[in-house]
Amino acid sequence: MPNIIFIAPLAAGKGTISEYLSKHLGYEHISTGDLFREIIKSGTSLGEEIKEIIAQGSLVDDDKTFQVLKQKLETLNNNQLFILDGYPRNINQAKLLNKLELNNIVVIFLNLDYDVAKKRALGRIICPNCKKTYNIYFDNLKPKVDNICDECHSKLEKRIDDTEETFKKRFNIYLEETREVISYYKDMNLLKEVNANQDINDVIKDVLKIVNGDKYDKY
Ligand SMILES: [Zn+2]
């Protein structure tokens, strides 16, 4: 099985897929957010620098992000498969990563239409009590009674930060940043595309086909 780099917009199901691959196939899930939290806890000088940057509300630059990632990859033993989640985010990061000469890599691009992404993100409502999530735009994800949790009958809430405008902005930034990364990996013949507009179970099946060849249906 190959190591995986995911390129995916918000609401493409990357979290669910990564969780599946970790649980069933033993992948180590590496996200830059988690790495930053880990290195800050470690108290090393790089950790201190990153703590400062994040405290100021700034973004950690590509070189420091790369150093943190490189350190993490060096701790993995040779047989440990991994998923890179949220990295590389731009072409500069992709080129830095290429210096590590990692082999056995596949880049999976979860291609999601804007309209589907928007419905998934903006239609999401959550039960404040039991944390079950619903979506008002999808029949199979709607609560049985409008605005009431099926499980515990609490009143459901919309996530406040999800307005159409902020969503559109984030989606467009993603498109802009990843366009070059996608063509970079396409040129290297490493890119596989999956239709992420499908039901999440079908997306997982398609990812497993890539990862496992035709042995996928045994999972
Ligand atoms: Zn509930």
mmCIF file with all atom_site columns, all heavy atoms in Angstrom, residues 6-7 12 17 107-112 191-198 200 202-210:
data_model
loop_
_atom_site.group_PDB
_atom_site.id
_atom_site.type_symbol
_atom_site.label_atom_id
_atom_site.label_alt_id
_atom_site.label_comp_id
_atom_site.label_asym_id
_atom_site.label_entity_id
_atom_site.label_seq_id
_atom_site.pdbx_PDB_ins_code
_atom_site.Cartn_x
_atom_site.Cartn_y
_atom_site.Cartn_z
_atom_site.occupancy
_atom_site.B_iso_or_equiv
_atom_site.pdbx_formal_charge
_atom_site.auth_seq_id
_atom_site.auth_comp_id
_atom_site.auth_asym_id
_atom_site.auth_atom_id
_atom_site.pdbx_PDB_model_num
ATOM 1   N N   . PHE A 1 6   ? -3.391  13.762 0.808   1.00 0.00 ? 6   PHE A N   1
ATOM 2   C CA  . PHE A 1 6   ? -4.731  14.176 0.413   1.00 0.00 ? 6   PHE A CA  1
ATOM 3   C C   . PHE A 1 6   ? -4.750  15.638 0.004   1.00 0.00 ? 6   PHE A C   1
ATOM 4   O O   . PHE A 1 6   ? -4.230  16.496 0.716   1.00 0.00 ? 6   PHE A O   1
ATOM 5   C CB  . PHE A 1 6   ? -5.725  14.011 1.574   1.00 0.00 ? 6   PHE A CB  1
ATOM 6   C CG  . PHE A 1 6   ? -6.321  12.648 1.668   1.00 0.00 ? 6   PHE A CG  1
ATOM 7   C CD1 . PHE A 1 6   ? -6.258  11.936 2.855   1.00 0.00 ? 6   PHE A CD1 1
ATOM 8   C CD2 . PHE A 1 6   ? -6.957  12.070 0.580   1.00 0.00 ? 6   PHE A CD2 1
ATOM 9   C CE1 . PHE A 1 6   ? -6.803  10.663 2.960   1.00 0.00 ? 6   PHE A CE1 1
ATOM 10  C CE2 . PHE A 1 6   ? -7.512  10.796 0.666   1.00 0.00 ? 6   PHE A CE2 1
ATOM 11  C CZ  . PHE A 1 6   ? -7.436  10.091 1.857   1.00 0.00 ? 6   PHE A CZ  1
ATOM 12  N N   . ILE A 1 7   ? -5.364  15.912 -1.135  1.00 0.00 ? 7   ILE A N   1
ATOM 13  C CA  . ILE A 1 7   ? -5.674  17.289 -1.499  1.00 0.00 ? 7   ILE A CA  1
ATOM 14  C C   . ILE A 1 7   ? -7.185  17.371 -1.539  1.00 0.00 ? 7   ILE A C   1
ATOM 15  O O   . ILE A 1 7   ? -7.831  16.665 -2.324  1.00 0.00 ? 7   ILE A O   1
ATOM 16  C CB  . ILE A 1 7   ? -5.099  17.665 -2.874  1.00 0.00 ? 7   ILE A CB  1
ATOM 17  C CG1 . ILE A 1 7   ? -3.581  17.508 -2.856  1.00 0.00 ? 7   ILE A CG1 1
ATOM 18  C CG2 . ILE A 1 7   ? -5.487  19.099 -3.246  1.00 0.00 ? 7   ILE A CG2 1
ATOM 19  C CD1 . ILE A 1 7   ? -2.921  17.823 -4.183  1.00 0.00 ? 7   ILE A CD1 1
ATOM 20  N N   . ALA A 1 12  ? -15.052 17.661 2.089   1.00 0.00 ? 12  ALA A N   1
ATOM 21  C CA  . ALA A 1 12  ? -14.872 16.577 1.118   1.00 0.00 ? 12  ALA A CA  1
ATOM 22  C C   . ALA A 1 12  ? -14.863 15.208 1.803   1.00 0.00 ? 12  ALA A C   1
ATOM 23  O O   . ALA A 1 12  ? -14.825 14.183 1.138   1.00 0.00 ? 12  ALA A O   1
ATOM 24  C CB  . ALA A 1 12  ? -13.580 16.770 0.344   1.00 0.00 ? 12  ALA A CB  1
ATOM 25  N N   . ILE A 1 17  ? -12.452 9.780  6.011   1.00 0.00 ? 17  ILE A N   1
ATOM 26  C CA  . ILE A 1 17  ? -11.656 8.809  5.244   1.00 0.00 ? 17  ILE A CA  1
ATOM 27  C C   . ILE A 1 17  ? -10.343 8.495  5.970   1.00 0.00 ? 17  ILE A C   1
ATOM 28  O O   . ILE A 1 17  ? -9.946  7.343  6.094   1.00 0.00 ? 17  ILE A O   1
ATOM 29  C CB  . ILE A 1 17  ? -11.347 9.348  3.828   1.00 0.00 ? 17  ILE A CB  1
ATOM 30  C CG1 . ILE A 1 17  ? -12.654 9.602  3.073   1.00 0.00 ? 17  ILE A CG1 1
ATOM 31  C CG2 . ILE A 1 17  ? -10.482 8.366  3.058   1.00 0.00 ? 17  ILE A CG2 1
ATOM 32  C CD1 . ILE A 1 17  ? -12.477 10.465 1.835   1.00 0.00 ? 17  ILE A CD1 1
ATOM 33  N N   . VAL A 1 107 ? -0.943  10.690 -4.502  1.00 0.00 ? 107 VAL A N   1
ATOM 34  C CA  . VAL A 1 107 ? -1.622  11.933 -4.142  1.00 0.00 ? 107 VAL A CA  1
ATOM 35  C C   . VAL A 1 107 ? -3.082  11.779 -4.542  1.00 0.00 ? 107 VAL A C   1
ATOM 36  O O   . VAL A 1 107 ? -3.383  11.583 -5.720  1.00 0.00 ? 107 VAL A O   1
ATOM 37  C CB  . VAL A 1 107 ? -0.997  13.139 -4.862  1.00 0.00 ? 107 VAL A CB  1
ATOM 38  C CG1 . VAL A 1 107 ? -1.723  14.430 -4.474  1.00 0.00 ? 107 VAL A CG1 1
ATOM 39  C CG2 . VAL A 1 107 ? 0.491   13.240 -4.530  1.00 0.00 ? 107 VAL A CG2 1
ATOM 40  N N   . ILE A 1 108 ? -3.962  11.808 -3.568  1.00 0.00 ? 108 ILE A N   1
ATOM 41  C CA  . ILE A 1 108 ? -5.386  11.625 -3.863  1.00 0.00 ? 108 ILE A CA  1
ATOM 42  C C   . ILE A 1 108 ? -6.103  12.969 -3.766  1.00 0.00 ? 108 ILE A C   1
ATOM 43  O O   . ILE A 1 108 ? -6.126  13.604 -2.711  1.00 0.00 ? 108 ILE A O   1
ATOM 44  C CB  . ILE A 1 108 ? -6.038  10.596 -2.911  1.00 0.00 ? 108 ILE A CB  1
ATOM 45  C CG1 . ILE A 1 108 ? -5.338  9.236  -3.066  1.00 0.00 ? 108 ILE A CG1 1
ATOM 46  C CG2 . ILE A 1 108 ? -7.539  10.467 -3.206  1.00 0.00 ? 108 ILE A CG2 1
ATOM 47  C CD1 . ILE A 1 108 ? -5.890  8.146  -2.175  1.00 0.00 ? 108 ILE A CD1 1
ATOM 48  N N   . PHE A 1 109 ? -6.638  13.366 -4.908  1.00 0.00 ? 109 PHE A N   1
ATOM 49  C CA  . PHE A 1 109 ? -7.352  14.634 -5.001  1.00 0.00 ? 109 PHE A CA  1
ATOM 50  C C   . PHE A 1 109 ? -8.843  14.348 -4.872  1.00 0.00 ? 109 PHE A C   1
ATOM 51  O O   . PHE A 1 109 ? -9.437  13.689 -5.732  1.00 0.00 ? 109 PHE A O   1
ATOM 52  C CB  . PHE A 1 109 ? -7.012  15.280 -6.347  1.00 0.00 ? 109 PHE A CB  1
ATOM 53  C CG  . PHE A 1 109 ? -7.854  16.466 -6.712  1.00 0.00 ? 109 PHE A CG  1
ATOM 54  C CD1 . PHE A 1 109 ? -8.238  17.401 -5.759  1.00 0.00 ? 109 PHE A CD1 1
ATOM 55  C CD2 . PHE A 1 109 ? -8.241  16.665 -8.035  1.00 0.00 ? 109 PHE A CD2 1
ATOM 56  C CE1 . PHE A 1 109 ? -9.016  18.498 -6.111  1.00 0.00 ? 109 PHE A CE1 1
ATOM 57  C CE2 . PHE A 1 109 ? -8.998  17.764 -8.395  1.00 0.00 ? 109 PHE A CE2 1
ATOM 58  C CZ  . PHE A 1 109 ? -9.393  18.681 -7.434  1.00 0.00 ? 109 PHE A CZ  1
ATOM 59  N N   . LEU A 1 110 ? -9.425  14.795 -3.764  1.00 0.00 ? 110 LEU A N   1
ATOM 60  C CA  . LEU A 1 110 ? -10.872 14.619 -3.554  1.00 0.00 ? 110 LEU A CA  1
ATOM 61  C C   . LEU A 1 110 ? -11.580 15.792 -4.212  1.00 0.00 ? 110 LEU A C   1
ATOM 62  O O   . LEU A 1 110 ? -11.624 16.891 -3.667  1.00 0.00 ? 110 LEU A O   1
ATOM 63  C CB  . LEU A 1 110 ? -11.186 14.558 -2.055  1.00 0.00 ? 110 LEU A CB  1
ATOM 64  C CG  . LEU A 1 110 ? -10.531 13.422 -1.265  1.00 0.00 ? 110 LEU A CG  1
ATOM 65  C CD1 . LEU A 1 110 ? -10.815 13.567 0.221   1.00 0.00 ? 110 LEU A CD1 1
ATOM 66  C CD2 . LEU A 1 110 ? -10.992 12.059 -1.775  1.00 0.00 ? 110 LEU A CD2 1
ATOM 67  N N   . ASN A 1 111 ? -12.085 15.538 -5.400  1.00 0.00 ? 111 ASN A N   1
ATOM 68  C CA  . ASN A 1 111 ? -12.659 16.622 -6.189  1.00 0.00 ? 111 ASN A CA  1
ATOM 69  C C   . ASN A 1 111 ? -14.130 16.827 -5.823  1.00 0.00 ? 111 ASN A C   1
ATOM 70  O O   . ASN A 1 111 ? -14.953 15.938 -5.973  1.00 0.00 ? 111 ASN A O   1
ATOM 71  C CB  . ASN A 1 111 ? -12.519 16.296 -7.677  1.00 0.00 ? 111 ASN A CB  1
ATOM 72  C CG  . ASN A 1 111 ? -12.693 17.533 -8.533  1.00 0.00 ? 111 ASN A CG  1
ATOM 73  O OD1 . ASN A 1 111 ? -12.976 18.619 -8.016  1.00 0.00 ? 111 ASN A OD1 1
ATOM 74  N ND2 . ASN A 1 111 ? -12.527 17.379 -9.830  1.00 0.00 ? 111 ASN A ND2 1
ATOM 75  N N   . LEU A 1 112 ? -14.424 18.019 -5.321  1.00 0.00 ? 112 LEU A N   1
ATOM 76  C CA  . LEU A 1 112 ? -15.758 18.322 -4.812  1.00 0.00 ? 112 LEU A CA  1
ATOM 77  C C   . LEU A 1 112 ? -16.286 19.595 -5.462  1.00 0.00 ? 112 LEU A C   1
ATOM 78  O O   . LEU A 1 112 ? -15.590 20.607 -5.507  1.00 0.00 ? 112 LEU A O   1
ATOM 79  C CB  . LEU A 1 112 ? -15.657 18.510 -3.285  1.00 0.00 ? 112 LEU A CB  1
ATOM 80  C CG  . LEU A 1 112 ? -16.932 18.751 -2.501  1.00 0.00 ? 112 LEU A CG  1
ATOM 81  C CD1 . LEU A 1 112 ? -17.853 17.540 -2.579  1.00 0.00 ? 112 LEU A CD1 1
ATOM 82  C CD2 . LEU A 1 112 ? -16.614 19.070 -1.046  1.00 0.00 ? 112 LEU A CD2 1
ATOM 83  N N   . LEU A 1 191 ? -0.838  11.759 -9.314  1.00 0.00 ? 191 LEU A N   1
ATOM 84  C CA  . LEU A 1 191 ? -2.175  12.215 -8.920  1.00 0.00 ? 191 LEU A CA  1
ATOM 85  C C   . LEU A 1 191 ? -3.275  11.228 -9.307  1.00 0.00 ? 191 LEU A C   1
ATOM 86  O O   . LEU A 1 191 ? -3.342  10.766 -10.440 1.00 0.00 ? 191 LEU A O   1
ATOM 87  C CB  . LEU A 1 191 ? -2.479  13.566 -9.574  1.00 0.00 ? 191 LEU A CB  1
ATOM 88  C CG  . LEU A 1 191 ? -3.672  14.306 -8.970  1.00 0.00 ? 191 LEU A CG  1
ATOM 89  C CD1 . LEU A 1 191 ? -3.252  15.081 -7.732  1.00 0.00 ? 191 LEU A CD1 1
ATOM 90  C CD2 . LEU A 1 191 ? -4.311  15.244 -9.981  1.00 0.00 ? 191 LEU A CD2 1
ATOM 91  N N   . LYS A 1 192 ? -4.131  10.918 -8.326  1.00 0.00 ? 192 LYS A N   1
ATOM 92  C CA  . LYS A 1 192 ? -5.347  10.139 -8.586  1.00 0.00 ? 192 LYS A CA  1
ATOM 93  C C   . LYS A 1 192 ? -6.530  10.983 -8.136  1.00 0.00 ? 192 LYS A C   1
ATOM 94  O O   . LYS A 1 192 ? -6.479  11.579 -7.061  1.00 0.00 ? 192 LYS A O   1
ATOM 95  C CB  . LYS A 1 192 ? -5.348  8.835  -7.780  1.00 0.00 ? 192 LYS A CB  1
ATOM 96  C CG  . LYS A 1 192 ? -4.181  7.942  -8.051  1.00 0.00 ? 192 LYS A CG  1
ATOM 97  C CD  . LYS A 1 192 ? -4.464  7.063  -9.235  1.00 0.00 ? 192 LYS A CD  1
ATOM 98  C CE  . LYS A 1 192 ? -3.337  6.054  -9.413  1.00 0.00 ? 192 LYS A CE  1
ATOM 99  N NZ  . LYS A 1 192 ? -3.385  5.427  -10.714 1.00 0.00 ? 192 LYS A NZ  1
ATOM 100 N N   . GLU A 1 193 ? -7.556  11.006 -8.966  1.00 0.00 ? 193 GLU A N   1
ATOM 101 C CA  . GLU A 1 193 ? -8.706  11.835 -8.629  1.00 0.00 ? 193 GLU A CA  1
ATOM 102 C C   . GLU A 1 193 ? -9.883  10.973 -8.191  1.00 0.00 ? 193 GLU A C   1
ATOM 103 O O   . GLU A 1 193 ? -10.152 9.929  -8.773  1.00 0.00 ? 193 GLU A O   1
ATOM 104 C CB  . GLU A 1 193 ? -9.083  12.664 -9.860  1.00 0.00 ? 193 GLU A CB  1
ATOM 105 C CG  . GLU A 1 193 ? -10.114 13.710 -9.567  1.00 0.00 ? 193 GLU A CG  1
ATOM 106 C CD  . GLU A 1 193 ? -10.317 14.664 -10.748 1.00 0.00 ? 193 GLU A CD  1
ATOM 107 O OE1 . GLU A 1 193 ? -9.339  14.978 -11.463 1.00 0.00 ? 193 GLU A OE1 1
ATOM 108 O OE2 . GLU A 1 193 ? -11.474 15.068 -10.957 1.00 0.00 ? 193 GLU A OE2 1
ATOM 109 N N   . VAL A 1 194 ? -10.570 11.424 -7.139  1.00 0.00 ? 194 VAL A N   1
ATOM 110 C CA  . VAL A 1 194 ? -11.766 10.725 -6.666  1.00 0.00 ? 194 VAL A CA  1
ATOM 111 C C   . VAL A 1 194 ? -12.916 11.721 -6.646  1.00 0.00 ? 194 VAL A C   1
ATOM 112 O O   . VAL A 1 194 ? -12.747 12.867 -6.232  1.00 0.00 ? 194 VAL A O   1
ATOM 113 C CB  . VAL A 1 194 ? -11.530 10.135 -5.242  1.00 0.00 ? 194 VAL A CB  1
ATOM 114 C CG1 . VAL A 1 194 ? -12.835 9.672  -4.619  1.00 0.00 ? 194 VAL A CG1 1
ATOM 115 C CG2 . VAL A 1 194 ? -10.523 8.997  -5.297  1.00 0.00 ? 194 VAL A CG2 1
ATOM 116 N N   . ASN A 1 195 ? -14.077 11.266 -7.105  1.00 0.00 ? 195 ASN A N   1
ATOM 117 C CA  . ASN A 1 195 ? -15.256 12.121 -7.098  1.00 0.00 ? 195 ASN A CA  1
ATOM 118 C C   . ASN A 1 195 ? -15.821 12.194 -5.679  1.00 0.00 ? 195 ASN A C   1
ATOM 119 O O   . ASN A 1 195 ? -16.438 11.249 -5.195  1.00 0.00 ? 195 ASN A O   1
ATOM 120 C CB  . ASN A 1 195 ? -16.295 11.549 -8.069  1.00 0.00 ? 195 ASN A CB  1
ATOM 121 C CG  . ASN A 1 195 ? -17.605 12.306 -8.007  1.00 0.00 ? 195 ASN A CG  1
ATOM 122 O OD1 . ASN A 1 195 ? -17.710 13.343 -7.349  1.00 0.00 ? 195 ASN A OD1 1
ATOM 123 N ND2 . ASN A 1 195 ? -18.614 11.779 -8.684  1.00 0.00 ? 195 ASN A ND2 1
ATOM 124 N N   . ALA A 1 196 ? -15.619 13.333 -5.025  1.00 0.00 ? 196 ALA A N   1
ATOM 125 C CA  . ALA A 1 196 ? -16.031 13.478 -3.625  1.00 0.00 ? 196 ALA A CA  1
ATOM 126 C C   . ALA A 1 196 ? -17.461 13.995 -3.489  1.00 0.00 ? 196 ALA A C   1
ATOM 127 O O   . ALA A 1 196 ? -17.933 14.248 -2.385  1.00 0.00 ? 196 ALA A O   1
ATOM 128 C CB  . ALA A 1 196 ? -15.057 14.394 -2.892  1.00 0.00 ? 196 ALA A CB  1
ATOM 129 N N   . ASN A 1 197 ? -18.162 14.121 -4.621  1.00 0.00 ? 197 ASN A N   1
ATOM 130 C CA  . ASN A 1 197 ? -19.576 14.508 -4.552  1.00 0.00 ? 197 ASN A CA  1
ATOM 131 C C   . ASN A 1 197 ? -20.470 13.325 -4.170  1.00 0.00 ? 197 ASN A C   1
ATOM 132 O O   . ASN A 1 197 ? -21.623 13.500 -3.816  1.00 0.00 ? 197 ASN A O   1
ATOM 133 C CB  . ASN A 1 197 ? -20.059 15.055 -5.903  1.00 0.00 ? 197 ASN A CB  1
ATOM 134 C CG  . ASN A 1 197 ? -19.279 16.282 -6.318  1.00 0.00 ? 197 ASN A CG  1
ATOM 135 O OD1 . ASN A 1 197 ? -19.168 17.240 -5.566  1.00 0.00 ? 197 ASN A OD1 1
ATOM 136 N ND2 . ASN A 1 197 ? -18.707 16.239 -7.507  1.00 0.00 ? 197 ASN A ND2 1
ATOM 137 N N   . GLN A 1 198 ? -19.908 12.119 -4.260  1.00 0.00 ? 198 GLN A N   1
ATOM 138 C CA  . GLN A 1 198 ? -20.676 10.919 -3.935  1.00 0.00 ? 198 GLN A CA  1
ATOM 139 C C   . GLN A 1 198 ? -20.902 10.817 -2.433  1.00 0.00 ? 198 GLN A C   1
ATOM 140 O O   . GLN A 1 198 ? -20.283 11.512 -1.647  1.00 0.00 ? 198 GLN A O   1
ATOM 141 C CB  . GLN A 1 198 ? -19.883 9.669  -4.336  1.00 0.00 ? 198 GLN A CB  1
ATOM 142 C CG  . GLN A 1 198 ? -19.300 9.648  -5.710  1.00 0.00 ? 198 GLN A CG  1
ATOM 143 C CD  . GLN A 1 198 ? -18.428 8.407  -5.904  1.00 0.00 ? 198 GLN A CD  1
ATOM 144 O OE1 . GLN A 1 198 ? -18.926 7.347  -6.216  1.00 0.00 ? 198 GLN A OE1 1
ATOM 145 N NE2 . GLN A 1 198 ? -17.126 8.541  -5.704  1.00 0.00 ? 198 GLN A NE2 1
ATOM 146 N N   . ILE A 1 200 ? -20.346 9.418  1.169   1.00 0.00 ? 200 ILE A N   1
ATOM 147 C CA  . ILE A 1 200 ? -19.034 9.189  1.788   1.00 0.00 ? 200 ILE A CA  1
ATOM 148 C C   . ILE A 1 200 ? -18.589 7.724  1.693   1.00 0.00 ? 200 ILE A C   1
ATOM 149 O O   . ILE A 1 200 ? -17.402 7.438  1.508   1.00 0.00 ? 200 ILE A O   1
ATOM 150 C CB  . ILE A 1 200 ? -19.001 9.701  3.256   1.00 0.00 ? 200 ILE A CB  1
ATOM 151 C CG1 . ILE A 1 200 ? -17.603 9.580  3.873   1.00 0.00 ? 200 ILE A CG1 1
ATOM 152 C CG2 . ILE A 1 200 ? -20.006 8.999  4.135   1.00 0.00 ? 200 ILE A CG2 1
ATOM 153 C CD1 . ILE A 1 200 ? -16.579 10.522 3.325   1.00 0.00 ? 200 ILE A CD1 1
ATOM 154 N N   . ASP A 1 202 ? -19.127 5.639  -0.717  1.00 0.00 ? 202 ASP A N   1
ATOM 155 C CA  . ASP A 1 202 ? -18.612 5.408  -2.070  1.00 0.00 ? 202 ASP A CA  1
ATOM 156 C C   . ASP A 1 202 ? -17.261 6.099  -2.273  1.00 0.00 ? 202 ASP A C   1
ATOM 157 O O   . ASP A 1 202 ? -16.403 5.599  -2.996  1.00 0.00 ? 202 ASP A O   1
ATOM 158 C CB  . ASP A 1 202 ? -19.619 5.902  -3.116  1.00 0.00 ? 202 ASP A CB  1
ATOM 159 C CG  . ASP A 1 202 ? -20.894 5.062  -3.078  1.00 0.00 ? 202 ASP A CG  1
ATOM 160 O OD1 . ASP A 1 202 ? -20.785 3.839  -2.874  1.00 0.00 ? 202 ASP A OD1 1
ATOM 161 O OD2 . ASP A 1 202 ? -21.989 5.632  -3.233  1.00 0.00 ? 202 ASP A OD2 1
ATOM 162 N N   . VAL A 1 203 ? -17.092 7.237  -1.621  1.00 0.00 ? 203 VAL A N   1
ATOM 163 C CA  . VAL A 1 203 ? -15.792 7.914  -1.686  1.00 0.00 ? 203 VAL A CA  1
ATOM 164 C C   . VAL A 1 203 ? -14.730 7.026  -1.040  1.00 0.00 ? 203 VAL A C   1
ATOM 165 O O   . VAL A 1 203 ? -13.648 6.813  -1.597  1.00 0.00 ? 203 VAL A O   1
ATOM 166 C CB  . VAL A 1 203 ? -15.834 9.304  -0.989  1.00 0.00 ? 203 VAL A CB  1
ATOM 167 C CG1 . VAL A 1 203 ? -14.472 9.980  -1.057  1.00 0.00 ? 203 VAL A CG1 1
ATOM 168 C CG2 . VAL A 1 203 ? -16.894 10.197 -1.628  1.00 0.00 ? 203 VAL A CG2 1
ATOM 169 N N   . ILE A 1 204 ? -15.077 6.461  0.118   1.00 0.00 ? 204 ILE A N   1
ATOM 170 C CA  . ILE A 1 204 ? -14.133 5.560  0.804   1.00 0.00 ? 204 ILE A CA  1
ATOM 171 C C   . ILE A 1 204 ? -13.799 4.357  -0.087  1.00 0.00 ? 204 ILE A C   1
ATOM 172 O O   . ILE A 1 204 ? -12.638 3.979  -0.220  1.00 0.00 ? 204 ILE A O   1
ATOM 173 C CB  . ILE A 1 204 ? -14.696 5.100  2.173   1.00 0.00 ? 204 ILE A CB  1
ATOM 174 C CG1 . ILE A 1 204 ? -14.689 6.279  3.150   1.00 0.00 ? 204 ILE A CG1 1
ATOM 175 C CG2 . ILE A 1 204 ? -13.878 3.936  2.752   1.00 0.00 ? 204 ILE A CG2 1
ATOM 176 C CD1 . ILE A 1 204 ? -15.312 5.997  4.503   1.00 0.00 ? 204 ILE A CD1 1
ATOM 177 N N   . LYS A 1 205 ? -14.809 3.787  -0.733  1.00 0.00 ? 205 LYS A N   1
ATOM 178 C CA  . LYS A 1 205 ? -14.566 2.647  -1.632  1.00 0.00 ? 205 LYS A CA  1
ATOM 179 C C   . LYS A 1 205 ? -13.584 3.014  -2.745  1.00 0.00 ? 205 LYS A C   1
ATOM 180 O O   . LYS A 1 205 ? -12.682 2.244  -3.072  1.00 0.00 ? 205 LYS A O   1
ATOM 181 C CB  . LYS A 1 205 ? -15.874 2.183  -2.275  1.00 0.00 ? 205 LYS A CB  1
ATOM 182 C CG  . LYS A 1 205 ? -16.585 1.141  -1.451  1.00 0.00 ? 205 LYS A CG  1
ATOM 183 C CD  . LYS A 1 205 ? -17.800 0.603  -2.201  1.00 0.00 ? 205 LYS A CD  1
ATOM 184 C CE  . LYS A 1 205 ? -18.737 -0.079 -1.225  1.00 0.00 ? 205 LYS A CE  1
ATOM 185 N NZ  . LYS A 1 205 ? -20.121 -0.130 -1.719  1.00 0.00 ? 205 LYS A NZ  1
ATOM 186 N N   . ASP A 1 206 ? -13.780 4.188  -3.337  1.00 0.00 ? 206 ASP A N   1
ATOM 187 C CA  . ASP A 1 206 ? -12.884 4.613  -4.413  1.00 0.00 ? 206 ASP A CA  1
ATOM 188 C C   . ASP A 1 206 ? -11.459 4.829  -3.913  1.00 0.00 ? 206 ASP A C   1
ATOM 189 O O   . ASP A 1 206 ? -10.490 4.513  -4.611  1.00 0.00 ? 206 ASP A O   1
ATOM 190 C CB  . ASP A 1 206 ? -13.410 5.898  -5.075  1.00 0.00 ? 206 ASP A CB  1
ATOM 191 C CG  . ASP A 1 206 ? -14.591 5.611  -5.995  1.00 0.00 ? 206 ASP A CG  1
ATOM 192 O OD1 . ASP A 1 206 ? -14.921 4.420  -6.195  1.00 0.00 ? 206 ASP A OD1 1
ATOM 193 O OD2 . ASP A 1 206 ? -15.194 6.568  -6.513  1.00 0.00 ? 206 ASP A OD2 1
ATOM 194 N N   . VAL A 1 207 ? -11.346 5.379  -2.707  1.00 0.00 ? 207 VAL A N   1
ATOM 195 C CA  . VAL A 1 207 ? -10.015 5.565  -2.126  1.00 0.00 ? 207 VAL A CA  1
ATOM 196 C C   . VAL A 1 207 ? -9.364  4.204  -1.879  1.00 0.00 ? 207 VAL A C   1
ATOM 197 O O   . VAL A 1 207 ? -8.187  3.993  -2.181  1.00 0.00 ? 207 VAL A O   1
ATOM 198 C CB  . VAL A 1 207 ? -10.088 6.396  -0.817  1.00 0.00 ? 207 VAL A CB  1
ATOM 199 C CG1 . VAL A 1 207 ? -8.753  6.368  -0.071  1.00 0.00 ? 207 VAL A CG1 1
ATOM 200 C CG2 . VAL A 1 207 ? -10.493 7.842  -1.124  1.00 0.00 ? 207 VAL A CG2 1
ATOM 201 N N   . LEU A 1 208 ? -10.155 3.254  -1.378  1.00 0.00 ? 208 LEU A N   1
ATOM 202 C CA  . LEU A 1 208 ? -9.615  1.916  -1.111  1.00 0.00 ? 208 LEU A CA  1
ATOM 203 C C   . LEU A 1 208 ? -9.168  1.216  -2.391  1.00 0.00 ? 208 LEU A C   1
ATOM 204 O O   . LEU A 1 208 ? -8.190  0.473  -2.392  1.00 0.00 ? 208 LEU A O   1
ATOM 205 C CB  . LEU A 1 208 ? -10.644 1.057  -0.376  1.00 0.00 ? 208 LEU A CB  1
ATOM 206 C CG  . LEU A 1 208 ? -10.894 1.442  1.084   1.00 0.00 ? 208 LEU A CG  1
ATOM 207 C CD1 . LEU A 1 208 ? -12.015 0.600  1.671   1.00 0.00 ? 208 LEU A CD1 1
ATOM 208 C CD2 . LEU A 1 208 ? -9.634  1.303  1.928   1.00 0.00 ? 208 LEU A CD2 1
ATOM 209 N N   . LYS A 1 209 ? -9.887  1.461  -3.483  1.00 0.00 ? 209 LYS A N   1
ATOM 210 C CA  . LYS A 1 209 ? -9.474  0.880  -4.771  1.00 0.00 ? 209 LYS A CA  1
ATOM 211 C C   . LYS A 1 209 ? -8.087  1.372  -5.145  1.00 0.00 ? 209 LYS A C   1
ATOM 212 O O   . LYS A 1 209 ? -7.254  0.615  -5.652  1.00 0.00 ? 209 LYS A O   1
ATOM 213 C CB  . LYS A 1 209 ? -10.444 1.293  -5.886  1.00 0.00 ? 209 LYS A CB  1
ATOM 214 C CG  . LYS A 1 209 ? -11.625 0.373  -6.035  1.00 0.00 ? 209 LYS A CG  1
ATOM 215 C CD  . LYS A 1 209 ? -12.468 0.809  -7.236  1.00 0.00 ? 209 LYS A CD  1
ATOM 216 C CE  . LYS A 1 209 ? -13.933 0.675  -6.894  1.00 0.00 ? 209 LYS A CE  1
ATOM 217 N NZ  . LYS A 1 209 ? -14.815 1.271  -7.899  1.00 0.00 ? 209 LYS A NZ  1
ATOM 218 N N   . ILE A 1 210 ? -7.841  2.648  -4.907  1.00 0.00 ? 210 ILE A N   1
ATOM 219 C CA  . ILE A 1 210 ? -6.532  3.221  -5.224  1.00 0.00 ? 210 ILE A CA  1
ATOM 220 C C   . ILE A 1 210 ? -5.460  2.632  -4.304  1.00 0.00 ? 210 ILE A C   1
ATOM 221 O O   . ILE A 1 210 ? -4.380  2.249  -4.741  1.00 0.00 ? 210 ILE A O   1
ATOM 222 C CB  . ILE A 1 210 ? -6.568  4.764  -5.084  1.00 0.00 ? 210 ILE A CB  1
ATOM 223 C CG1 . ILE A 1 210 ? -7.478  5.356  -6.155  1.00 0.00 ? 210 ILE A CG1 1
ATOM 224 C CG2 . ILE A 1 210 ? -5.170  5.356  -5.145  1.00 0.00 ? 210 ILE A CG2 1
ATOM 225 C CD1 . ILE A 1 210 ? -7.792  6.830  -5.951  1.00 0.00 ? 210 ILE A CD1 1
#
